[in-house]
C-alpha cells in the first residue's frame, strides 16, 4: 500500500454518520472511496453541490454537473445545487463538519500554509481560506515530508492560508493532533516508531499517553492496537 | 418585453474601462458566446471579475491575449496561463480574493450592503491593507462591495423577458452577479417564451436582465 | 371620483415600461388597476414574489401564493418566488424602481413618518424602512390632510421611517416634489388653486415655473394642461 | 438517514430559555403543527424570532397566551394582539426590526458573517444604541448576527433526509432560518422518500435539518 492510500484509508475513518464533508483536490478526493459502508456522508463541492456522487462512466455525464476541480460528477439522490454565495454560507457558517485538504506546511500553532510557495507561480487561494476557517474540523492529509524536507514545523515559513485552524494531520507515518501544548502523536503507522516520526518533523512532538496503531479503513484492525 | 438580441448587439454596450462580472467556474457555465462576440469589439482597459478567469479552453484568455484586459479580480488563476503571466509582470493588476469573500462582496454590491464582515483571510496576505472591526471580541475584515458595469451571464434556459434558469452546478456566480451590475447580458442555451419557464425554477428575475442572446455551440 | 381614486389614477402614470414596482398596503394597491395598458410593470411583494397578478376569484387561489398583506394573489407568466433575504437584496440594492406608500407626515427635507403615532398602538415597521431607503424612487400617495390636519410639514414630529428619502407626494390636491429648495408644486388637481394647497400645508410651497393640471390615468387629459 | 418523528418528539428538543426562529409570514407558511405540539410542553422564557409573530389565527399567539414567551424579535406585530400587549406592558421585551435587516441578521448568523452593514434605519429609533461604521463617506449601521437554539420550519414537501421544498411565497423566512439554528425542526405537508424531490427544487438541504414531522390539516 503506497503512502497516499495509507493516508486516504486512515482519513476515511474520521467522518461520523451524516457528516457534511468537503474534500480538497488531489489526495483528499481518494478518501470517499474508503469511507466505511455504515457511515453515510454528504459530500459538498464548493462550486455548488451537496451530495456529490461518483464520476460518470467515460463519455457519459452531464456537463452542467461538475465539481470544484472541473471534473464531471454524478449526484446522489437528495442532492442539491446552489450558487456560490449559498455555498460559502454553508462553509463559513460552520455547516461543514470536516474539510480534508493537503498542505505545504503546518505548524504547532495550527497555522496552515497550503496555497503559495514563495518564488513559484501563484495560482490563488480558491476556496481554501474559507474552508479552513469555516469548517468545524480541519484535517490535513499529506505525505509527512516534501521529498525529505519536513512539512510539520515549529512555525510556518510560507505565506499562510489561515491562522490556528488545523485540528489533525494524517500522514503515512502518523496521526498527529494540534493541541494547546503543541503536536501530539496519537497513532503510528505499522512498523513506524515515535523516533522515526521525530526524525522527519521540524517541531517538538508529544507522545500521547497511549499511542495507538494507525487504523485503516477496509483493513483488518482487530489485532492489538497499541504500538 | 422582448430582450432577445444578437451577441454582437449585446456586447455593444461594453465600453473601454468597464468592470466586467463574468459568470462560470473553470471551463463550465461561462458565457462563451458573449465573450467571443466581445473579441470583435475595439475596447480595452477592461477589468475581469470572475471566479477563475476560465481555463485555456475558454474565451476570457482570448480577451487577455488581445490586450483588452488590464485588471483581474479572481479567486484562482491556475488554469489560465495568461492570468498567471499578468500576476508576474504586474502584481498590482491581479487581486486574489478568497472564493467566499468574492461571492459575498458581489452579493453586498447588489444587495445594498456596506460590505461583508468576514474572518476569512485574517493573518494572511488577503488581509493586507484592509480595515478590521472588533465585534464581541472577535476581529473581522471589512470587505468592500464589488460591482460591475456589465455582467456576462450564462443561463441554461432564459425566457424572452430575461428570467433565467441555471442547471446543476452552472449556478455558481451566474446567479449572484446580475444583482451587481448596471447592465446584464445573458446568453442562454435555450430561449423560450415568457411563461414556459416554471416560476419555481427561476434563479434570476428578468427585471435584472437587459439583453438576452442565443448561446452558440461551443 | 373620490380622493383615493384621484390619487391612484395620478400615481398610475408614474411607472415607466418594465419598471419593478412595490405597492404598500391600502391605497397604493389600487394603483395597479389604473396603469396604462402600454406600460408593463412588474409588481414585487416583499414576502417573496416578483410578478404579482390580480387577486383570484373568491374561493379560488392557492394559499401558498399570497402577498405581503396576507391576501391570496395570482402570479403573471414569468413570475418568480424567493425568500426574504433575496427579496430585501432586491429592495435594498436599488432594484425596485418605485415604491408607492402612504404616510402620516412628510417634511420638506424628504423625511418620512409612516409607521408610528406616538401614544397609539405600535405595530412595527415591517419592510417600510427598507423600501424607502432602497427604492430608486419613493412616491408617497396619501390624502393631503388627516381630517384637516396637515401632513406635509416643515419638519416631521412623529418618529421617522427614514431621513431624506421622499421624492414625490401625490395627494388628491396636487403633485409635489421634494427638492433641495423644499416642496415644489408640479401639478394641481382640477379646480384646485395653489393657495388652496398652501392653506392645508404646514410648510412653504414653491410653485413650479409652469404648474400643470394633474393628469389622471384612464381620464381624457387632452385639453389644455396648464393650470 | 430517516429523520421523520412525531411533532411531539420534534418539539421535545426545545428547552426553557431557548431562542426560537419561527418561519412564515402572517397567517401563511407557519409551522402550526410544531407550534401546537409545543403548547403541550412545560417550557417557558422563550424568545420568538419571526417576521410578525403570526396572526390571531396562528399558534404563536397561543404560546404567548400560555405565558411561554418572554421576548419577541419581529418586524411587524399588528396582526397579533398579544404581541402588542407585551410591547405596552414591557417595551424592552419586544424588539422591532426592519424586515430586510431581520432577514440579513439571520443570514449573517448562519453564514459566518460578523454582522450586516445597512443604511436602513439610520436616523430612526431602529438605530438607537447601535454602532455605526463609515465606509466611503457613507454611514452604515452594524447589525448583529441573529441565531436561534431551535428553528421551526414549514415545508411543502420534505424528504426523509430533511431536504425541503417551499412552494410559492412560503419560502420567506423558512428558507433562511435553517442555516442559523442549532436544531432544525421541519413540518411538511408531504413527506417523500429521498430522491423523489427534484434536486433543482430543494431550497433547504437535509444536512441542516434534524427532525421532520407530518403537518396536520390546519
Amino acid at each position: 500500500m503506497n503512502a497516499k492510500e495509507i493516508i486516504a484509508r486512515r482519513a476515511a475513518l474520521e467522518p461520523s454518520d451524516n457528516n457534511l464533508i468537503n474534500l480538497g483536490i488531489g489526495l483528499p478526493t481518494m478518501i470517499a472511496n474508503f469511507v466505511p459502508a455504515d457511515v453515510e456522508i454528504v459530500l459538498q463541492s464548493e462550486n455548488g453541490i451537496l451530495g456529490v456522487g461518483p464520476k460518470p462512466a467515460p463519455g457519459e455525464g452531464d456537463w452542467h454537473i461538475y465539481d470544484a476541480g472541473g471534473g464531471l460528477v454524478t449526484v446522489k439522490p437528495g442532492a442539491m445545487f446552489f450558487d456560490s454565495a449559498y455555498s460559502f454560507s454553508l462553509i463559513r457558517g460552520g455547516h461543514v463538519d470536516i474539510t480534508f485538504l493537503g498542505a505545504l506546511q503546518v505548524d504547532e500553532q495550527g497555522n496552515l500554509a497550503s496555497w503559495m510557495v514563495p518564488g513559484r507561480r501563484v495560482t490563488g487561494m480558491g476556496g481554501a481560506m474559507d474552508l479552513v476557517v469555516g469548517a468545524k474540523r480541519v484535517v490535513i492529509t499529506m505525505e509527512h515530508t516534501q521529498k525529505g524536507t519536513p512539512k510539520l514545523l515549529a512555525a510556518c515559513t510560507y505565506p499562510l492560508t489561515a491562522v490556528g485552524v488545523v485540528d489533525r494531520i494524517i500522514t503515512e507515518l502518523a496521526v498527529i493532533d494540534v493541541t494547546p501544548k503543541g503536536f501530539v502523536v496519537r497513532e503510528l503507522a505499522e512498523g513506524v516508531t515515535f523516533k522515526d516520526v521525530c526524525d522527519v518533523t521540524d517541531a517538538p512532538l508529544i507522545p500521547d499517553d497511549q499511542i495507538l496503531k494507525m487504523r485503516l479503513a477496509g483493513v483488518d484492525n482487530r489485532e492489538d492496537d497499541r504500538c | 418585453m422582448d430582450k432577445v438580441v444578437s451577441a454582437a448587439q449585446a456586447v455593444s454596450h461594453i465600453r473601454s474601462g468597464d468592470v466586467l462580472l463574468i459568470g462560470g467556474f473553470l471551463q463550465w457555465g461561462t458565457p462563451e458566446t458573449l465573450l467571443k462576440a466581445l473579441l470583435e469589439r475595439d475596447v480595452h482597459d477592461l477589468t475581469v471579475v470572475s471566479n477563475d478567469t476560465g481555463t485555456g479552453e475558454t474565451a476570457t484568455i482570448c480577451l487577455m491575449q488581445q490586450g483588452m484586459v488590464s485588471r483581474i479580480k479572481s479567486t484562482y488563476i491556475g488554469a489560465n496561463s495568461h492570468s498567471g503571466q499578468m500576476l508576474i509582470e504586474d502584481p498590482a493588476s491581479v487581486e486574489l480574493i478568497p472564493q467566499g469573500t468574492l461571492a459575498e462582496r458581489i452579493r453586498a454590491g447588489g444587495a445594498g450592503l456596506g460590505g461583508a464582515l468576514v474572518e476569512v483571510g485574517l493573518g494572511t496576505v488577503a488581509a493586507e491593507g484592509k480595515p478590521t472591526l472588533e465585534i464581541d471580541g472577535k476581529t473581522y475584515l471589512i470587505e468592500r462591495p464589488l460591482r460591475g458595469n456589465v455582467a456576462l451571464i450564462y443561463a441554461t434556459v432564459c425566457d424572452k423577458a430575461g428570467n433565467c434558469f441555471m442547471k446543476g452546478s452552472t449556478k455558481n456566480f451566474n446567479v449572484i452577479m446580475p444583482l451587481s451590475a448596471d447592465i446584464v447580458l445573458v446568453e442562454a442555451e435555450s430561449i423560450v417564451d415568457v411563461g414556459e419557464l416554471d416560476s419555481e425554477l427561476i434563479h434570476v428575475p428578468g427585471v435584472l436582465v437587459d439583453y438576452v442572446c442565443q448561446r452558440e455551440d461551443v
Side-chain angles (χ1 to χ4, degrees), chain A, chain B:
Chain A
M1 202 181 297
N2 67 25
K4 285 182 179 169
E5 186 175 335
I6 292 171
I7 296 166
R9 284 185 184 272
R10 175 59 190 82
L13 298 173
E14 294 287 311
S16 302
D17 200 30
N18 208 34
N19 271 185
L20 175 56
I21 305 289
N22 187 291
L23 302 176
I25 314 289
L27 193 160
T29 58
M30 293 172 61
I31 296 169
N33 304 328
F34 300 119
V35 173
D38 58 340
V39 175
E40 217 172 300
I41 63 170
V42 178
L43 290 178
Q44 190 209 29
S45 190
E46 65 265 30
N47 63 317
I49 311 179
L50 273 186
V52 177
K55 290 190 187 308
E60 296 190 14
D62 174 350
W63 73 259
H64 301 87
I65 299 171
Y66 57 89
D67 67 14
L72 299 189
V73 293
T74 61
V75 293
K76 294 189 173 174
M80 175 183 181
F81 302 111
F82 38 76
D83 63 50
S84 298
Y86 192 87
S87 183
F88 284 88
S89 292
L90 287 171
I91 288 168
R92 261 192 330 262
H95 305 286
V96 173
D97 293 293
I98 311 178
T99 185
F100 292 97
L101 76 167
L104 299 162
Q105 299 179 330
V106 181
D107 71 27
E108 57 182 350
Q109 286 80 42
N111 297 329
L112 170 66
S114 67
W115 74 286
M116 188 176 162
V117 182
R120 280 223 244 129
R121 200 161 74 87
V122 178
T123 59
M125 66 290 279
M129 288 188 180
D130 310 83
L131 278 160
V132 297
V133 169
K136 281 188 198 133
R137 195 166 158 72
V138 175
V139 177
I140 300 300
T141 51
M142 65 176 190
E143 295 187 55
H144 203 90
T145 67
Q146 170 67 23
K147 295 175 182 165
T149 305
K151 299 170 77 173
L152 276 75
L153 309 174
C156 291
T157 59
Y158 290 171
L160 295 183
T161 308
V163 174
V165 295
V166 175
D167 294 293
R168 172 164 283 193
I169 304 122
I170 298 174
T171 77
E172 74 282 16
L173 303 182
V175 175
I176 297 170
D177 282 350
V178 177
T179 75
K181 293 182 206 159
F183 288 133
V184 173
V185 177
R186 305 282 191 207
E187 300 178 19
L188 290 169
E190 175 117 39
V192 174
T193 67
F194 182 72
K195 183 173 176 305
D196 291 340
V197 182
C198 291
D199 287 348
V200 289
T201 302
D202 213 355
L205 293 180
I206 303 163
D208 200 3
D209 292 345
Q210 176 60 32
I211 299 183
L212 302 176
K213 196 178 86 179
M214 196 191 288
R215 294 161 301 136
L216 300 180
V219 173
D220 190 352
N221 296 304
R222 278 173 305 174
E223 39 182 324
D224 178 22
D225 63 358
R226 280 172 299 172
C227 269
Chain B
M1 187 179 203
D2 191 335
K3 298 177 179 176
V4 181
V5 298
S6 70
Q9 287 172 312
V11 300
S12 71
H13 300 276
I14 295 171
R15 302 271 169 267
S16 289
D18 274 357
V19 175
L20 306 184
L21 307 184
I22 304 178
F25 197 105
L26 293 171
Q27 70 271 47
W28 307 116
T30 51
E32 293 300 299
T33 303
L34 287 166
L35 290 168
K36 281 176 188 159
L38 180 56
L39 286 171
E40 307 300 317
R41 290 284 319 283
D42 178 26
V43 291
H44 52 88
D45 197 28
L46 300 173
T47 297
V48 165
V49 179
S50 83
N51 181 65
D52 44 50
T53 69
T55 70
E57 300 96 58
T58 60
T60 299
I61 196 169
C62 305
L63 297 182
M64 294 174 171
Q65 286 160 343
Q66 290 200 16
M68 295 163 79
V69 178
S70 304
R71 275 169 302 277
I72 292 170
K73 294 171 191 283
S74 188
T75 82
Y76 175 83
I77 56 171
N80 178 332
S81 57
H82 199 95
S83 297
Q85 201 56 36
M86 280 178 66
L87 181 61
I88 291 165
E89 288 169 10
D90 179 10
S93 69
V94 179
E95 184 183 358
L96 292 170
I97 304 170
Q99 198 165 122
T101 298
L102 179 64
E104 209 59 30
R105 286 180 63 187
I106 293 170
R107 180 179 183 274
L113 299 170
L117 302 173
V118 301
E119 291 179 274
V120 174
L122 279 173
T124 78
V125 297
E128 276 172 18
K130 288 181 182 164
T132 60
L133 185 68
E134 192 110 350
I135 300 180
D136 290 337
K138 271 190 172 179
T139 303
Y140 294 89
L141 288 172
I142 304 171
E143 294 278 4
R144 312 298 272 274
L146 186 47
R147 288 184 56 86
N149 301 98
V150 184
L152 286 73
I153 301 300
Y154 158 86
T156 314
V157 183
C158 183
D159 72 24
K160 289 173 180 168
N163 295 296
C164 299
F165 164 68
M166 285 74 167
K167 185 180 178 189
S169 33
T170 67
K171 294 173 185 60
N172 55 60
F173 285 86
N174 286 309
V175 166
I176 57 177
M177 286 173 164
L179 282 157
S180 307
D182 301 330
I183 299 173
V184 176
L185 316 179
V186 171
E187 73 173 59
E189 282 185 73
S190 170
I191 299 175
V192 301
D193 284 328
V194 175
E196 283 190 50
L197 195 48
D198 184 339
S199 285
E200 295 288 358
L201 290 177
I202 296 176
H203 297 119
V204 173
V207 290
L208 299 177
V209 173
D210 297 285
Y211 302 99
V212 177
C213 74
Q214 177 66 50
R215 180 176 171 92
E216 288 161 19
D217 285 340
V218 287

